[in-house]
Amino acid sequence: MSVPALSLKDVSIKRADVPVVHGVSLDVEPASVTVLLGANGAGKTTLMDGIAGLARTGGGTVELDGHRVDKLPTYRRAQAGLAYVEQARTVFRTLTVEQNLLVSQTGDRGPEAAYRLFPELEKRRTLQAGSLSGGEQQMLVLGRALVSGPRTVLIDEMSAGLAPVVVRRLMRAVTDLVELGIAVLLIEQFAHLALEIGSRAYVLRKGRVAFEGACADLRDDSARLHAAYFGTAQPHGGPGPADRPRPDAAESERP
């Protein structure tokens, strides 16, 4: 049996002394997409921050490739093969696309690897990152994560504020990362798109795991997905979370 690329056991996290994540355990297998879903405020971003070292875990363990990292600072976790694509789409706006990639490179993968992932970026390699569209900036953020040489990538709501056609393009790029042998833990408000590319899914509700299973189990059963999100049956056969994404919704957990 293979060692998970990322493994959490009974992880709990507080924000401003308020418990947000309660005893969460999950595994992300190598070269796969694991989807993390849940309503706004369920604890998803807080959990990602805890994995990356941006929020202190108050209990439990975090392991990368079988090695415990929950006591390590953020930069040491990055050195251990973890990359974190946060919601904010932060780029160095006054640097060119290529300069953004070069300052992020830590291994053998250089800008050309990012251009293979996103040929769109190669055409803009000499442009300042601040002049790119939102979708292009998100491509650049993912490209920067790739050239940092990760074995596991955390991706938090990369679709926020983007058109569905752009989101689908980004989803294809996530599957390309997996083909390179990279494991991905993906938070995504377009649940139906995430479940199409994922193999395993976890749903958080009020900071606890409310569902764990195959993505297909939720993709093919919107009532089950709705119940996992909200703890109630789907009313009158109405649309579930997978059918009514909110592109302008933002996680509201950070203080």
Side-chain angles (χ1 to χ4, degrees):
M1 186 174 180
S2 64
V3 175
L6 171 67
S7 182
L8 277 59
K9 294 181 175 63
D10 296 321
V11 169
S12 296
I13 306 171
K14 294 181 179 180
R15 292 280 196 191
D17 291 327
V18 177
V20 175
V21 174
H22 311 274
V24 169
S25 297
L26 64 79
D27 288 335
V28 179
E29 297 302 321
S32 71
V33 177
T34 296
V35 180
L36 183 62
L37 301 173
N40 288 348
K44 306 184 300 296
T45 292
T46 293
L47 183 62
M48 289 285 216
D49 286 353
I51 296 169
L54 300 177
R56 182 178 298 178
T57 54
T61 61
V62 179
E63 294 183 354
L64 289 173
D65 299 314
H67 302 286
R68 188 169 174 178
V69 298
D70 49 273
K71 302 300 182 182
L72 299 181
T74 300
Y75 78 93
R76 291 284 302 279
R77 301 186 200 200
Q79 291 173 345
L82 183 68
Y84 186 13
V85 176
E86 300 180 67
Q87 291 183 30
R89 277 205 294 273
T90 303
V91 297
F92 299 110
R93 298 181 62 84
T94 60
L95 298 183
T96 67
V97 167
E98 186 140 319
Q99 288 169 336
N100 267 267
L101 296 170
L102 288 171
V103 298
S104 302
Q105 181 180 349
T106 58
D108 296 333
R109 289 194 187 108
E112 295 304 323
Y115 298 147
R116 286 192 294 272
L117 185 67
F118 294 113
E120 301 93 326
L121 292 180
E122 185 169 19
K123 300 173 185 177
R124 294 159 175 76
R125 64 197 302 167
T126 61
L127 298 181
Q128 287 188 340
S131 70
L132 301 180
S133 68
E136 291 166 345
Q137 287 186 13
Q138 188 63 75
M139 293 177 192
L140 181 55
V141 172
L142 287 171
R144 287 174 50 192
L146 174 62
V147 300
S148 71
R151 291 189 295 277
T152 300
V153 176
L154 312 177
I155 302 177
D156 188 0
E157 298 283 17
M158 66 180 179
S159 68
L162 300 179
V165 64
V166 178
V167 177
R168 287 189 179 277
R169 172 69 184 93
L170 294 171
M171 290 293 179
R172 291 199 304 272
V174 172
T175 62
D176 290 339
L177 294 179
V178 170
E179 290 179 3
L180 293 172
I182 296 171
V184 177
L185 179 59
L186 175 67
I187 295 176
E188 183 47 59
Q189 61 192 357
F190 286 86
H192 63 296
L193 295 181
L195 292 170
E196 286 177 5
I197 67 169
S199 57
R200 193 154 191 82
Y202 294 82
V203 180
L204 290 189
R205 187 170 68 243
K206 297 181 179 179
R208 294 180 169 84
V209 175
F211 172 89
E212 172 188 353
C215 284
D217 292 343
L218 293 181
R219 186 174 62 239
D220 301 334
D221 190 342
S222 60
R224 188 175 189 182
L225 178 58
H226 187 279
Y229 263 66
F230 304 113
T232 58
Q234 184 173 320
H236 309 301
D243 304 307
R244 44 181 176 82
R246 297 172 55 200
D248 57 344
E251 191 84 326
S252 57
E253 298 154 11
R254 285 197 175 101

